[in-house]
C-alpha cells in the first residue's frame, strides 16, 4: 500500500531507500535550499523517481541559504577536505536541516492522507550531524505523531547501519550508483577529497563493490 512520503536528495543513501521502499512510496520530495551541489544531485532524484514511476516534487527553501551559516551553502571553496571524523567537517552542518525538512514532509504527508515519512540518515552520519542521530529521529517521530490527526510516523530504517551496508543493499536492488551524487563541492566530477567523497569511496571498498563514481584526478 502506497502510504508514504520519502525525502530524496539524489544522493546514494536516499536513492537506495527510494528503491528499497518503492512499493510503499506515494510521493518523493526533494529540497532546494541553496546547497553547493544542488544542481548535481537534484536531477538524479528526479531521474530515479521517474524511472520508478513515483511522483516527485522539489520544494525551494531559499531562506536557508540566506539566513543559515554552513560551508555547504557558501560555495565549493568553503568545503573542507578530509575525513568526516575530523573536527573541521562540522562546518558542513546545515543547522537543523533535517528537522525543517521532516516538518514540511510531515505536513505534506497529512495533507495527502499519508501516514509515514522516510528519511535515509545512517550510522556514519552520527559523528557530526546532530539531526541524524537516533535520539533526534525518535523526538521528531514523537512530534509528528502527536502533531497530526493521522499520526504520521517518521521512519529512518538506515539509522543504525553503515554506508557500506547501504551500498550492499542497493547493489542487490541493481541500482546504478553512477547516477547518484555525493560531493559537497558540486563540480562536474566528484572531488574525491571532501568528507562525503571520502565516505563514499570507503563505503564501496568496505562493501566489496565496484565504485562507478567519476572522481577528479588525484
Amino acid at each position: 500500500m502506497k502510504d508514504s512520503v520519502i525525502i530524496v536528495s539524489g544522493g546514494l543513501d536516499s536513492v537506495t531507500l527510494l528503491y528499497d521502499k518503492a512499493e510503499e512510496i506515494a510521493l518523493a520530495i526533494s529540497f532546494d535550499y541553496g546547497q553547493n551541489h544542488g544542481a548535481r544531485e537534484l536531477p538524479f532524484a528526479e531521474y530515479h523517481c521517474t524511472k520508478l514511476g513515483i511522483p516527485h516534487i522539489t520544494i525551494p527553501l531559499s531562506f536557508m541559504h540566506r539566513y543559515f551559516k554552513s560551508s555547504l551553502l557558501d560555495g565549493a571553496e568553503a568545503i573542507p577536505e578530509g575525513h568526516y571524523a575530523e573536527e573541521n567537517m562540522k562546518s558542513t552542518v546545515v543547522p537543523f536541516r533535517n528537522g525543517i525538512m521532516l516538518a514540511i514532509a510531515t505536513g505534506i504527508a497529512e495533507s495527502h492522507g499519508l501516514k509515514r515519512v522516510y528519511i535515509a540518515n545512517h550510522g556514519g552520519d552520527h559523528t557530526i550531524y546532530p539531526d541524524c542521530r537516533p535520539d533526534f529521529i525518535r523526538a521528531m517521530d514523537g512530534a509528528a505523531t502527536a502533531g497530526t490527526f493521522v499520526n504520521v510516523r517518521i521512519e529512518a530504517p538506515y539509522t543504525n547501519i553503515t554506508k557500506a551496508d547501504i551500498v550492499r543493499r542497493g547493489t542487490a536492488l541493481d541500482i546504478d550508483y553512477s547516477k547518484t551524487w555525493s560531493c559537497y563541492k558540486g563540480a562536474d566530477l566528484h572531488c574525491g577529497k571532501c568528507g562525503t567523497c571520502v565516505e563514499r569511496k570507503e563505503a564501496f571498498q568496505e562493501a566489496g563493490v565496484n565504485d562507478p563514481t567519476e572522481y577528479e584526478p588525484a
Side-chain angles (χ1 to χ4, degrees), residues 136-207:
F136 170 80
I137 296 297
R138 285 192 294 269
M140 288 300 295
D141 177 47
T145 302
T148 55
F149 288 116
V150 296
N151 305 124
V152 174
R153 301 299 306 267
I154 305 297
E155 297 199 11
Y158 295 167
T159 298
N160 294 309
I161 67 174
T162 68
K163 200 177 190 80
D165 293 327
I166 294 172
V167 168
R168 293 186 190 99
R169 186 165 300 188
T171 300
L173 293 167
D174 200 28
I175 296 172
D176 181 358
Y177 280 132
S178 71
K179 291 182 170 60
T180 61
W181 190 265
S182 296
C183 183
Y184 281 165
K185 294 189 177 184
D188 290 338
L189 301 177
H190 284 72
C191 75
K193 298 176 182 178
C194 70
T196 188
C197 277
V198 172
E199 182 193 43
R200 184 181 176 107
K201 287 181 176 181
E202 290 179 345
F204 279 102
Q205 290 170 358
E206 184 181 337

Coordinates of all heavy atoms in Angstrom, one line a residue, residues 136-207:
F136 N 17.4 12.1 17.9 CA 16.7 13.1 17.1 C 15.5 12.5 16.4 O 14.4 13.1 16.3 CB 17.7 13.8 16.2 CG 17.0 14.7 15.1 CD1 16.6 16.0 15.5 CD2 16.7 14.2 13.9 CE1 15.9 16.8 14.5 CE2 16.1 15.0 12.9 CZ 15.7 16.3 13.3
I137 N 15.8 11.4 15.7 CA 14.7 10.7 14.9 C 13.6 10.4 15.9 O 12.4 10.6 15.5 CB 15.3 9.5 14.2 CG1 16.3 9.9 13.2 CG2 14.1 8.7 13.6 CD1 15.8 10.8 12.0
R138 N 13.9 9.8 17.0 CA 12.8 9.5 18.0 C 12.0 10.7 18.4 O 10.8 10.7 18.5 CB 13.4 8.8 19.2 CG 13.8 7.4 19.0 CD 14.2 6.7 20.3 NE 15.3 7.3 21.0 CZ 16.6 6.9 20.8 NH1 16.8 5.9 20.0 NH2 17.6 7.5 21.5
A139 N 12.7 11.8 18.6 CA 12.0 13.1 19.0 C 11.1 13.6 17.9 O 9.9 14.0 18.1 CB 13.0 14.1 19.4
M140 N 11.6 13.6 16.7 CA 10.8 14.0 15.5 C 9.6 13.1 15.3 O 8.5 13.6 14.9 CB 11.7 14.2 14.3 CG 12.6 15.3 14.3 SD 11.9 17.0 14.5 CE 11.0 17.1 12.9
D141 N 9.8 11.8 15.4 CA 8.7 10.9 15.3 C 7.6 11.2 16.3 O 6.4 11.2 16.0 CB 9.3 9.4 15.5 CG 8.2 8.4 15.4 OD1 7.4 8.5 14.4 OD2 8.1 7.5 16.2
G142 N 8.0 11.4 17.5 CA 7.0 11.7 18.6 C 6.3 13.0 18.2 O 5.1 13.1 18.4
A143 N 7.0 14.0 17.8 CA 6.4 15.3 17.4 C 5.4 15.1 16.3 O 4.3 15.7 16.3 CB 7.4 16.3 17.1
A144 N 5.8 14.4 15.2 CA 5.0 14.2 14.1 C 3.7 13.4 14.4 O 2.6 13.8 14.0 CB 5.7 13.4 13.0
T145 N 3.9 12.4 15.2 CA 2.7 11.6 15.7 C 1.7 12.4 16.5 O 0.5 12.4 16.3 CB 3.2 10.4 16.5 OG1 4.1 9.6 15.6 CG2 2.0 9.5 16.8
A146 N 2.3 13.2 17.4 CA 1.4 14.0 18.3 C 0.8 15.2 17.6 O -0.3 15.6 18.0 CB 2.3 14.5 19.5
G147 N 1.5 15.7 16.6 CA 1.0 16.9 15.9 C 0.2 16.7 14.7 O -0.1 17.7 14.0
T148 N -0.2 15.5 14.4 CA -1.1 15.3 13.2 C -2.3 14.4 13.5 O -2.2 13.6 14.4 CB -0.2 14.5 12.1 OG1 0.3 13.3 12.6 CG2 0.9 15.4 11.6
F149 N -3.4 14.6 12.8 CA -4.6 13.9 13.0 C -4.4 12.4 12.6 O -5.0 11.5 13.2 CB -5.7 14.5 12.3 CG -6.2 15.8 12.8 CD1 -6.1 17.0 12.1 CD2 -6.8 15.8 14.1 CE1 -6.6 18.2 12.6 CE2 -7.3 17.0 14.7 CZ -7.1 18.2 13.9
V150 N -3.6 12.2 11.6 CA -3.4 10.8 11.1 C -2.2 10.1 11.8 O -1.9 9.0 11.4 CB -3.2 10.8 9.5 CG1 -4.5 11.3 8.9 CG2 -2.0 11.5 9.1
N151 N -1.6 10.8 12.7 CA -0.5 10.2 13.5 C 0.6 9.8 12.6 O 1.0 8.6 12.6 CB -1.0 9.1 14.4 CG -2.1 9.5 15.3 OD1 -3.2 8.9 15.3 ND2 -1.9 10.5 16.1
V152 N 1.1 10.7 11.8 CA 2.3 10.5 10.9 C 3.5 10.0 11.7 O 3.8 10.5 12.7 CB 2.6 11.7 10.1 CG1 3.9 11.5 9.2 CG2 1.5 12.2 9.2
R153 N 4.1 8.9 11.1 CA 5.3 8.4 11.7 C 6.5 8.7 10.9 O 6.5 8.7 9.7 CB 5.2 6.9 11.9 CG 4.1 6.3 12.7 CD 4.1 6.8 14.1 NE 5.4 6.6 14.8 CZ 5.6 5.5 15.5 NH1 4.7 4.5 15.7 NH2 6.8 5.3 16.2
I154 N 7.6 9.1 11.6 CA 8.9 9.3 10.9 C 9.7 7.9 11.0 O 9.9 7.4 12.0 CB 9.8 10.3 11.6 CG1 9.0 11.7 11.7 CG2 11.1 10.5 10.9 CD1 8.6 12.3 10.4
E155 N 10.1 7.4 9.8 CA 10.8 6.2 9.8 C 12.2 6.3 9.1 O 12.3 6.9 8.0 CB 10.0 5.1 9.0 CG 8.7 4.8 9.8 CD 8.0 3.5 9.4 OE1 8.7 2.7 8.7 OE2 6.9 3.3 9.7
A156 N 13.2 5.9 9.8 CA 14.6 6.0 9.3 C 15.3 4.7 9.4 O 16.0 4.4 10.4 CB 15.3 7.1 10.2
P157 N 15.0 3.8 8.5 CA 15.4 2.4 8.7 C 16.9 2.2 8.6 O 17.4 1.1 8.9 CB 14.7 1.7 7.5 CG 14.3 2.7 6.5 CD 14.1 4.0 7.3
Y158 N 17.7 3.2 8.1 CA 19.1 3.0 8.0 C 19.9 3.7 9.1 O 21.1 3.7 9.1 CB 19.6 3.7 6.7 CG 19.1 3.0 5.4 CD1 19.2 3.7 4.2 CD2 18.5 1.8 5.4 CE1 18.8 3.1 3.0 CE2 18.0 1.2 4.2 CZ 18.2 1.9 3.0 OH 17.7 1.3 1.9
T159 N 19.2 4.1 10.1 CA 19.8 4.9 11.2 C 21.0 4.1 11.9 O 22.0 4.7 12.3 CB 18.8 5.2 12.3 OG1 17.8 6.1 11.8 CG2 19.4 6.0 13.5
N160 N 20.9 2.8 12.0 CA 21.9 2.1 12.7 C 22.7 1.1 11.9 O 23.3 0.2 12.4 CB 21.2 1.3 13.9 CG 20.6 2.2 14.9 OD1 21.3 3.1 15.4 ND2 19.4 2.0 15.3
I161 N 22.7 1.4 10.6 CA 23.6 0.6 9.7 C 24.6 1.6 9.0 O 24.5 2.8 9.1 CB 22.8 -0.2 8.6 CG1 22.1 0.8 7.6 CG2 21.8 -1.1 9.3 CD1 21.4 0.1 6.4
T162 N 25.6 1.0 8.4 CA 26.7 1.8 7.8 C 26.4 2.1 6.3 O 25.5 1.5 5.7 CB 28.0 1.1 7.8 OG1 28.0 -0.1 7.0 CG2 28.3 0.6 9.3
K163 N 27.2 3.0 5.8 CA 27.0 3.3 4.3 C 27.4 2.1 3.5 O 26.8 1.9 2.4 CB 27.8 4.5 4.0 CG 27.4 5.3 2.7 CD 28.3 6.5 2.5 CE 27.7 7.3 1.3 NZ 26.6 8.2 1.8
A164 N 28.4 1.3 3.9 CA 28.7 0.1 3.2 C 27.5 -0.8 3.2 O 27.3 -1.5 2.2 CB 29.9 -0.6 3.9
D165 N 26.8 -0.9 4.3 CA 25.6 -1.8 4.3 C 24.6 -1.3 3.3 O 23.9 -2.1 2.6 CB 24.9 -1.8 5.7 CG 25.8 -2.4 6.8 OD1 26.5 -3.4 6.4 OD2 25.7 -2.0 7.9
I166 N 24.5 0.0 3.2 CA 23.5 0.6 2.2 C 24.0 0.3 0.8 O 23.1 -0.1 -0.1 CB 23.4 2.2 2.4 CG1 22.8 2.4 3.8 CG2 22.6 2.8 1.3 CD1 22.8 3.9 4.2
V167 N 25.3 0.4 0.5 CA 25.8 0.0 -0.8 C 25.5 -1.4 -1.2 O 25.1 -1.7 -2.3 CB 27.3 0.3 -0.9 CG1 27.9 -0.3 -2.2 CG2 27.6 1.8 -0.9
R168 N 25.7 -2.3 -0.2 CA 25.3 -3.7 -0.4 C 23.9 -3.9 -0.8 O 23.5 -4.7 -1.7 CB 25.7 -4.6 0.8 CG 27.2 -4.6 1.1 CD 27.5 -5.6 2.3 NE 28.9 -5.5 2.7 CZ 29.3 -4.8 3.7 NH1 28.4 -4.1 4.5 NH2 30.6 -4.8 4.1
R169 N 23.0 -3.2 0.0 CA 21.6 -3.3 -0.2 C 21.2 -2.8 -1.6 O 20.4 -3.4 -2.4 CB 20.8 -2.5 0.9 CG 19.3 -2.7 0.8 CD 18.7 -2.2 2.1 NE 19.2 -3.0 3.3 CZ 18.6 -2.9 4.5 NH1 17.6 -2.1 4.7 NH2 19.1 -3.6 5.5
G170 N 21.8 -1.6 -2.0 CA 21.5 -1.0 -3.3 C 22.0 -1.9 -4.4 O 21.3 -1.9 -5.5
T171 N 23.1 -2.5 -4.2 CA 23.7 -3.4 -5.3 C 22.7 -4.5 -5.5 O 22.5 -4.9 -6.7 CB 25.1 -3.8 -4.9 OG1 25.9 -2.7 -4.7 CG2 25.7 -4.8 -5.9
A172 N 22.2 -5.1 -4.4 CA 21.2 -6.2 -4.6 C 20.0 -5.7 -5.3 O 19.3 -6.5 -5.9 CB 20.9 -6.7 -3.2
L173 N 19.7 -4.4 -5.2 CA 18.5 -3.9 -5.9 C 18.8 -3.4 -7.3 O 18.0 -2.8 -8.0 CB 17.9 -2.7 -5.0 CG 17.3 -3.0 -3.7 CD1 17.1 -1.8 -2.9 CD2 16.0 -3.8 -3.9
D174 N 20.1 -3.6 -7.7 CA 20.5 -3.3 -9.0 C 20.5 -1.8 -9.3 O 20.1 -1.3 -10.4 CB 19.7 -4.0 -10.1 CG 20.5 -4.1 -11.4 OD1 21.7 -4.1 -11.4 OD2 19.8 -4.2 -12.5
I175 N 20.8 -1.0 -8.3 CA 20.8 0.5 -8.5 C 22.0 0.9 -9.3 O 23.1 0.5 -9.0 CB 20.7 1.2 -7.2 CG1 19.4 0.9 -6.5 CG2 20.9 2.7 -7.3 CD1 19.3 1.4 -5.0
D176 N 21.9 1.8 -10.2 CA 23.0 2.4 -10.9 C 23.5 3.6 -10.1 O 23.0 4.7 -10.2 CB 22.6 2.9 -12.3 CG 23.7 3.5 -13.1 OD1 24.8 3.6 -12.6 OD2 23.5 3.9 -14.3
Y177 N 24.6 3.3 -9.3 CA 25.1 4.4 -8.4 C 25.9 5.5 -9.2 O 26.3 6.5 -8.6 CB 26.0 3.7 -7.3 CG 25.2 3.2 -6.2 CD1 25.4 1.9 -5.7 CD2 24.2 3.9 -5.6 CE1 24.7 1.3 -4.7 CE2 23.4 3.4 -4.5 CZ 23.7 2.1 -4.1 OH 23.0 1.6 -3.0
S178 N 26.2 5.2 -10.5 CA 26.8 6.3 -11.2 C 25.8 7.5 -11.4 O 26.3 8.6 -11.7 CB 27.3 5.8 -12.6 OG 26.2 5.6 -13.4
K179 N 24.6 7.2 -11.2 CA 23.5 8.3 -11.3 C 23.1 8.7 -9.9 O 21.9 8.8 -9.6 CB 22.4 7.8 -12.1 CG 22.7 7.6 -13.6 CD 21.6 7.2 -14.5 CE 21.9 7.3 -16.0 NZ 23.0 6.5 -16.4
T180 N 24.0 8.9 -9.0 CA 23.8 9.5 -7.7 C 24.9 10.5 -7.4 O 26.0 10.4 -8.1 CB 23.8 8.4 -6.5 OG1 25.1 7.8 -6.5 CG2 22.7 7.4 -6.8
W181 N 24.7 11.4 -6.5 CA 25.7 12.4 -6.3 C 26.0 12.6 -4.8 O 25.0 12.6 -4.0 CB 25.3 13.8 -6.8 CG 26.4 14.8 -6.8 CD1 26.6 15.7 -5.8 CD2 27.4 14.9 -7.8 NE1 27.7 16.4 -6.1 CE2 28.2 16.0 -7.3 CE3 27.8 14.3 -8.9 CZ2 29.4 16.4 -8.0 CZ3 28.9 14.7 -9.6 CH2 29.7 15.7 -9.2
S182 N 27.2 12.7 -4.4 CA 27.6 12.9 -3.0 C 28.4 14.1 -2.8 O 28.2 14.8 -1.7 CB 28.4 11.7 -2.5 OG 27.7 10.5 -2.5
C183 N 29.3 14.5 -3.7 CA 30.3 15.6 -3.4 C 29.7 16.9 -3.0 O 28.8 17.4 -3.7 CB 31.2 15.7 -4.7 SG 32.5 17.0 -4.4
Y184 N 30.2 17.5 -1.9 CA 29.6 18.7 -1.5 C 30.1 19.9 -2.3 O 29.6 21.0 -2.1 CB 30.0 18.9 0.0 CG 29.1 18.2 1.0 CD1 29.5 18.0 2.3 CD2 27.9 17.6 0.6 CE1 28.8 17.3 3.2 CE2 27.1 16.9 1.5 CZ 27.6 16.7 2.8 OH 26.8 16.1 3.7
K185 N 31.1 19.7 -3.1 CA 31.6 20.9 -3.9 C 30.8 21.2 -5.1 O 30.7 22.3 -5.6 CB 33.1 20.6 -4.2 CG 34.0 20.6 -3.0 CD 35.5 20.6 -3.4 CE 36.4 20.7 -2.2 NZ 37.8 20.8 -2.5
G186 N 30.2 20.1 -5.7 CA 29.2 20.3 -6.8 C 29.9 20.7 -8.1 O 29.2 21.3 -8.9
A187 N 31.1 20.2 -8.4 CA 31.7 20.5 -9.7 C 31.2 19.4 -10.7 O 30.3 18.7 -10.4 CB 33.2 20.5 -9.5
D188 N 31.9 19.4 -11.8 CA 31.4 18.4 -12.8 C 31.7 17.0 -12.4 O 30.9 16.1 -12.8 CB 32.2 18.7 -14.2 CG 31.7 20.0 -14.8 OD1 30.6 20.5 -14.5 OD2 32.5 20.5 -15.6
L189 N 32.7 16.7 -11.7 CA 33.1 15.4 -11.1 C 33.2 15.4 -9.6 O 33.4 16.5 -9.0 CB 34.4 14.9 -11.7 CG 34.5 14.8 -13.2 CD1 36.0 14.4 -13.6 CD2 33.5 13.8 -13.8
H190 N 33.0 14.3 -9.0 CA 33.3 14.2 -7.5 C 34.7 14.6 -7.3 O 35.6 14.1 -8.0 CB 33.0 12.8 -7.0 CG 31.5 12.5 -6.9 ND1 30.7 12.2 -8.0 CD2 30.8 12.3 -5.8 CE1 29.5 11.9 -7.5 NE2 29.5 11.9 -6.2
C191 N 34.9 15.4 -6.2 CA 36.3 15.9 -6.0 C 37.2 14.8 -5.4 O 38.4 14.8 -5.6 CB 36.3 17.1 -5.0 SG 35.9 16.7 -3.3
G192 N 36.6 13.8 -4.7 CA 37.3 12.7 -4.1 C 38.0 13.0 -2.9 O 38.7 12.1 -2.2
K193 N 37.9 14.3 -2.4 CA 38.7 14.7 -1.2 C 37.8 15.2 -0.1 O 38.3 15.2 1.1 CB 39.7 15.8 -1.6 CG 40.7 15.3 -2.7 CD 41.6 16.5 -3.1 CE 42.6 16.0 -4.2 NZ 43.4 17.2 -4.7
C194 N 36.6 15.7 -0.3 CA 35.8 16.2 0.8 C 35.3 15.0 1.6 O 35.4 13.8 1.2 CB 34.7 17.0 0.2 SG 33.4 16.1 -0.7
G195 N 34.7 15.3 2.8 CA 34.3 14.2 3.7 C 33.3 13.3 3.1 O 33.4 12.0 3.2
T196 N 32.4 13.8 2.3 CA 31.4 12.9 1.8 C 31.9 12.0 0.6 O 31.5 10.9 0.4 CB 30.1 13.7 1.3 OG1 29.1 12.8 1.0 CG2 30.4 14.6 0.2
C197 N 32.9 12.6 -0.1 CA 33.5 11.8 -1.2 C 34.4 10.7 -0.5 O 34.4 9.5 -1.0 CB 34.4 12.6 -2.0 SG 33.6 13.5 -3.4
V198 N 35.1 11.0 0.5 CA 35.9 10.0 1.2 C 35.1 8.9 1.8 O 35.4 7.7 1.6 CB 36.8 10.7 2.3 CG1 37.5 9.6 3.2 CG2 37.8 11.6 1.8
E199 N 33.9 9.3 2.4 CA 33.0 8.3 2.9 C 32.4 7.4 1.8 O 32.3 6.2 2.0 CB 31.9 9.0 3.6 CG 30.9 8.1 4.3 CD 29.6 8.8 4.7 OE1 29.1 9.6 3.9 OE2 29.1 8.5 5.8
R200 N 32.1 8.0 0.7 CA 31.6 7.3 -0.5 C 32.6 6.2 -0.9 O 32.3 5.0 -1.1 CB 31.2 8.2 -1.6 CG 30.6 7.6 -2.8 CD 30.3 8.6 -3.9 NE 29.7 8.0 -5.1 CZ 28.4 8.2 -5.5 NH1 27.6 8.8 -4.7 NH2 28.0 7.6 -6.6
K201 N 33.9 6.6 -1.1 CA 34.9 5.7 -1.5 C 35.0 4.5 -0.5 O 35.1 3.4 -0.9 CB 36.3 6.4 -1.6 CG 36.4 7.4 -2.8 CD 37.8 8.0 -2.8 CE 38.1 8.9 -4.0 NZ 39.4 9.5 -3.9
E202 N 35.1 4.9 0.7 CA 35.3 3.9 1.8 C 34.1 2.9 1.8 O 34.3 1.7 2.0 CB 35.4 4.5 3.2 CG 36.7 5.3 3.3 CD 36.8 5.9 4.7 OE1 35.8 6.0 5.4 OE2 37.9 6.3 5.1
A203 N 32.9 3.4 1.5 CA 31.7 2.5 1.6 C 31.8 1.5 0.5 O 31.5 0.3 0.7 CB 30.4 3.4 1.4
F204 N 32.1 1.9 -0.7 CA 32.3 0.9 -1.8 C 33.4 -0.1 -1.5 O 33.2 -1.3 -1.8 CB 32.5 1.6 -3.2 CG 31.3 2.1 -3.8 CD1 31.0 3.5 -3.7 CD2 30.4 1.3 -4.5 CE1 29.8 4.0 -4.3 CE2 29.2 1.8 -5.0 CZ 28.9 3.2 -5.0
Q205 N 34.5 0.4 -1.0 CA 35.6 -0.5 -0.7 C 35.2 -1.5 0.4 O 35.5 -2.7 0.2 CB 36.8 0.3 -0.2 CG 37.5 1.1 -1.3 CD 38.5 2.1 -0.8 OE1 38.7 2.3 0.4 NE2 39.1 2.9 -1.7
E206 N 34.6 -1.0 1.4 CA 34.2 -1.9 2.5 C 33.1 -2.9 2.1 O 33.1 -4.1 2.5 CB 33.7 -1.1 3.7 CG 33.3 -2.0 4.9 CD 32.7 -1.1 6.1 OE1 33.0 0.1 6.1 OE2 32.0 -1.7 6.9
A207 N 32.2 -2.5 1.2 CA 31.2 -3.4 0.7 C 31.7 -4.4 -0.3 O 31.0 -5.4 -0.6 CB 30.1 -2.5 0.0

